[in-house]
Amino acid sequence: MIDQQQPSIVGMTFEQMLEQVRYEGAYATRAQAEQAVRAVLAAFGRQVTGEERVELAARLPYEAAVTFTSQIPATEPLTGWGFVKDLASRIGGSPATTRWDTGTVFRVVARLAGEELLSRILAQLPSGYALLFGRAELTRAAA
């Protein structure tokens, strides 16, 4: 059986990360990709806590890890859609373009994190983040 998931990318530089985001997000310039990466990682740094935060930072390129960890975690976590709306208001973008930026950056972050860590991160976050990472999100039926 062929594994269809891309493996974790060990040792990726920040420049390589930006190029992947630029390619996958179809950004016209490297600067646009960098703006998306920094905005999304800073916002995500406000949502992830605990050991998962430390582990994810260790797997990101240095510049990305600094952006991610420079944020103080929020006292009230946002849902996935709340995350997109909050980020859009902070950067002055539309929810649609912010959703695109988020999904593009999160796809690269997912490969850097690896399946096991990403699953633990998603387990600690409110609903909606799995979809932002390109995963199906299963919900439980109301009792």
Side-chain angles (χ1 to χ4, degrees), residues 17 41 44 56 60 105-114 133:
M17 181 182 194
L41 286 178
F44 198 48
L56 180 57
L60 294 172
V105 173
F106 279 0
R107 280 192 304 276
V108 175
V109 168
R111 289 194 299 271
L112 288 164
F133 278 96

Side-chain angles (χ1 to χ4, degrees), residues 7-73:
S8 176
I9 307 165
V10 179
M12 178 185 277
T13 67
F14 188 60
E15 289 73 27
Q16 290 169 327
M17 181 182 194
L18 293 179
E19 282 306 312
Q20 286 225 334
V21 169
R22 181 179 177 192
Y23 175 77
E24 291 185 25
Y27 296 103
T29 67
R30 183 178 179 275
Q32 289 173 320
E34 183 170 357
Q35 182 179 6
V37 166
R38 290 189 185 278
V40 170
L41 286 178
F44 198 48
R46 291 188 288 275
Q47 300 302 308
V48 180
T49 60
E51 193 62 33
E52 290 78 14
R53 178 182 173 92
V54 174
E55 286 183 47
L56 180 57
R59 295 180 190 192
L60 294 172
Y62 176 77
E63 297 87 340
V66 169
T67 300
F68 175 70
T69 58
S70 67
Q71 301 300 308
I72 297 170

Side-chain angles (χ1 to χ4, degrees), residues 43 81-99 102:
W81 179 237
F83 176 86
V84 170
K85 290 191 306 186
D86 180 66
L87 181 55
S89 71
R90 288 175 185 266
I91 64 173
S94 74
T97 58
T98 304
R99 169 62 179 91
T102 301

